[in-house]
Amino acid sequence: MSEPHPVMKTHAYLSLLPEALVASNLGPEDYGAYLATGSKKRSRGQAFFFELHRDYAQARLTELGAEIARPPEPESVPRRSEYLTIYRALESTRIDALEALHLVTDDGRVLTLLPSRYDPIIDRRFFLYQEFAPVQPRVVSTLEPREFARRITHSKQKISLPALVFADLRLGNLRDDPEGEGIGDLPYPNLEHLRDCLRELDAKPQKTTKTVVRYLQQDVLFRTVQRGFYVAAANDEFRYFPMPSRVQLETIYYPWWRSALSTFGA
């Protein structure tokens, strides 16, 4: 008597870089490896994607008529991905449905971040943010992450976004003084330009943000992420995904961390 055909789970992922809502029969580890190392058609590279809560995911898959959500045929193989939408995928997704954020190194190792309580950062003057979706500039700001999120997603601002994913990056001694010395191993290209941007914020207290780089030009060095990743939307919606501590990265998550340290980026 033949064994019954196993029921394949269908996952819904909100992928970044590029932004897209995707359905897959692969779990996060396998999907991450597929994104990073992929098929022969894809180039190797790091990836970022959110996993959506199961109930919300099923509702979205049904709403969008995903082929992958239908019962599989006998002997069918797992579907690696089915793109559901590439247009405004982030803003059309409920922030409270973002269950986990998966960071994938370019050789396919996956680190999973879970949402946590956010406590405001009050011990620094300047911040460096990398935005990931729907736009990708790198900016300096005098606003801590929650304030920055509110400003960017407030519809009454001259320029605003309906939703945003971003991370705060290390600034070393520049976090309090644009002329700070001993900046250690900050890997950003053209550090003098970064200093100039901070000097402008320092000289103009009414100015709260300044663009450093207009768009993401290469992979992000995971070692430059300071506290973690943030998701914001209108009506003050906010979700925080903290990075593990350096000690945790060097012990519990060492295989991922070792891979992340070998990444070339900025």
Side-chain angles (χ1 to χ4, degrees):
M1 185 175 181
S2 61
E3 293 291 327
H5 189 274
V7 176
M8 293 184 190
K9 288 186 65 176
T10 302
H11 304 266
Y13 299 120
L14 176 61
S15 182
L16 308 175
L17 305 177
E19 180 186 350
L21 185 62
V22 182
S24 177
N25 289 139
L26 303 179
E29 294 284 337
D30 291 333
Y31 183 68
Y34 166 68
L35 280 183
T37 60
S39 63
K40 294 179 180 179
K41 297 182 291 184
R42 294 191 72 257
S43 59
R44 180 186 177 110
Q46 64 180 200
F48 306 71
F49 64 95
F50 290 99
E51 184 175 4
L52 305 187
H53 185 274
R54 182 182 60 187
D55 293 340
Y56 177 82
Q58 188 57 53
R60 287 289 279 153
L61 293 173
T62 301
E63 174 190 348
L64 295 170
E67 292 281 344
I68 201 170
R70 298 173 185 174
E73 297 294 331
E75 308 304 325
S76 62
V77 297
R79 288 278 302 277
R80 292 178 295 188
S81 66
E82 177 186 338
Y83 279 78
L84 304 178
T85 180
I86 58 173
Y87 180 67
R88 293 183 166 179
L90 172 62
E91 72 172 271
S92 64
T93 300
R94 271 184 20 210
I95 284 184
D96 62 359
L98 302 178
E99 195 167 59
L101 172 61
H102 304 284
L103 310 181
V104 190
T105 60
D106 61 6
D107 64 351
R109 295 186 182 273
V110 179
L111 176 68
T112 298
L113 308 184
L114 300 177
S116 180
R117 170 184 167 180
Y118 174 77
D119 294 316
I121 303 173
I122 58 175
D123 62 347
R124 57 198 329 207
R125 290 183 63 203
F126 302 115
F127 299 84
L128 178 62
Y129 297 124
Q130 177 62 60
E131 301 177 27
F132 293 103
V135 293
Q136 299 172 10
R138 183 172 294 182
V139 303
V140 288
S141 179
T142 57
L143 303 174
E144 61 89 36
R146 186 71 186 259
E147 294 174 327
F148 178 75
R150 287 188 179 120
R151 178 67 61 87
I152 294 297
T153 58
H154 198 296
S155 61
K156 292 186 178 180
Q157 291 294 320
K158 183 177 180 181
I159 297 176
S160 67
L161 296 168
L164 179 67
V165 178
F166 65 101
D168 60 328
L169 306 185
R170 291 171 48 212
L171 266 177
N173 288 341
L174 299 183
R175 71 182 191 173
D176 293 312
D177 181 7
E179 312 304 332
E181 299 297 333
I183 57 176
D185 61 349
L186 291 183
Y188 314 122
N190 200 347
L191 277 172
E192 192 57 30
H193 173 59
L194 176 59
R195 287 184 188 273
D196 283 342
C197 293
L198 293 169
R199 289 177 184 125
E200 184 171 336
L201 294 184
D202 195 34
K204 301 177 180 178
Q206 74 280 8
K207 190 178 182 68
T208 58
T209 60
K210 170 69 177 177
T211 299
V212 179
V213 182
R214 288 187 175 86
Y215 57 91
L216 188 60
Q217 298 172 319
Q218 53 188 316
D219 284 351
V220 172
L221 288 175
F222 288 122
R223 68 179 174 86
T224 64
V225 177
Q226 182 76 37
R227 287 188 65 187
F229 293 77
Y230 310 87
V231 190
N235 301 317
D236 204 27
E237 292 186 81
F238 188 77
R239 207 155 172 82
Y240 168 48
F241 294 81
M243 282 287 287
S245 69
R246 184 65 175 262
V247 171
Q248 290 174 318
L249 289 170
E250 292 177 346
T251 54
I252 302 171
Y253 307 110
Y254 181 69
W256 180 89
W257 183 236
R258 181 178 60 186
S259 176
L261 289 177
S262 68
T263 300
F264 294 96

